Amino acid sequence: MRTFNMSKKLDYVCYDVRGPVLEEAERMRSQGLDILSLNIGNPAPFGFEAPGEIIHQMMENLHNAEGYSDSKGVLSAREAIVNYCEFKKIPQVGVNDVYTGNGVSELILMAMQGLLDNGDEILVPAPDYPLWTAAITLAGGKAVHYICDEQSEWYPDIRDITSKITSKTKGIVIINPNNPTGALYSTELLEQIAELARQHSLIIFSDEIYDRLVMDGAQHTSIASLAPDLLVVTLNGLSKSHKIAGFRCGWMCLSGDKSHARGYIDGLNILSSMRLCSNVQSQYVITTALSDLHKCDDTLLPGGRIYEQREYIVNALNNIPGLQVFKPKAAFYVFPRIDIKRFNITDDEKFILDFLHEKHILMVHGRGFNWLLPDHFRIVYLPKIEELKMACDRLGDFLEGYRQA
Ligand code: PLP
């Protein structure tokens, strides 16, 4: 009998956020166990509702959205994205520099497939949102991880980045605000990264899907606004800001100097045409979603859900002996450090599985985010405080007696 194996192209592709631990949680659920999921940044199941006008817009346009659109997206959506770029001071973006996508995810894959030849290198943060590493690997490239420093608010270590640039490096990815750390980068840091890209002729890929989820009165700066002379690919979408992850609505825009990247742009155009177009209903809500630029999301202010849940989780985790966590300024994740000596942890995935089996709570191990050591894990703090309290109580209880076998 002929057997069908996984393509060798996938041999080194890893995406653990939805990997074996999730499969185990699903197996336990199918046996009737109640599992609390703190593993995926998906606001809707935790009671965060999309703004009414977005739903209304989607329903209003169902008939208009029956056909394919232009591969890059309907003009009105791309015009709204161009406006958004102007608001964020992202320079030199016209409607032809914008690509809509089925979420940022599809565009990450396209951005890498269109650029990389076998062996080309892209600098990626560690920890990262692992789709970046997976997409680079699938495209035949090599993800070279640079360290983000927990002691410096999880900022990228410029010296480490510099030491990892080679003649094969084509670009650098930044995730700002960051998943999984929740870090928000300063203008000074972004300027340093832009300067490195300038010196070494790198394309900057800036994943800004959490740009509107910032707290404590902080401001998000798009790196593209600091680098009009460089090609910057900025990616964003509505999954998190407008709590419509299921609608699959994202975009990517090319800013700055494109004169030396005609070939790459041709590649992006081929890939964009090959998938015909992104989900057209979702494109129709972009104009409405991006017309509220000055509106602040109440959930991020003191008294609001995300803000208060962050306050709760950071305090609760820091009160558990053996755990330490940096207070994030943005997004809805924490990436706590665990004292691996104290608990004899050598395998962080096993630690997460042991906790899942004993306490029925699902988190993601740090190495799933391409972090090098088994000493971190990620929690999504979207559930209400009662549930976060239950999770932290169980974690404290579990760790009291835990020593990894
Ligand atoms: N980029 C980052 C940093 C993310 O955290 C996510 C989802 O969690 C994505 C991109 C993908 O988002 P979507 O495909 O829903 O737009």
Side-chain angles (χ1 to χ4, degrees), residues 3 53 109 116 192 215 271 286 290 298 308 350 360 405:
T3 53
E53 61 272 22
L109 288 159
L116 297 178
Q192 289 176 314
M215 290 174 267
L271 291 171
I286 293 176
L290 296 185
D298 290 348
E308 295 301 334
K350 181 171 184 320
H360 303 171

Side-chain angles (χ1 to χ4, degrees), residues 328-344:
K329 281 207 176 69
F332 34 64
Y333 308 102
V334 279
F335 196 58
R337 170 200 286 270
I338 182 159
D339 183 340
I340 47 176
K341 282 206 185 112
R342 179 180 184 134
F343 305 110
N344 197 37

Side-chain angles (χ1 to χ4, degrees), residues 8 32 61 98 136 154 199 220 249 258 321 326 338 380 400:
K8 292 204 172 20
N61 277 295
V98 174
I136 292 163
W154 282 114
Q199 281 168 11
H220 175 267
C249 184
K258 287 149 234 159
F326 151 84
I338 182 159
V380 174
E400 238 179 63

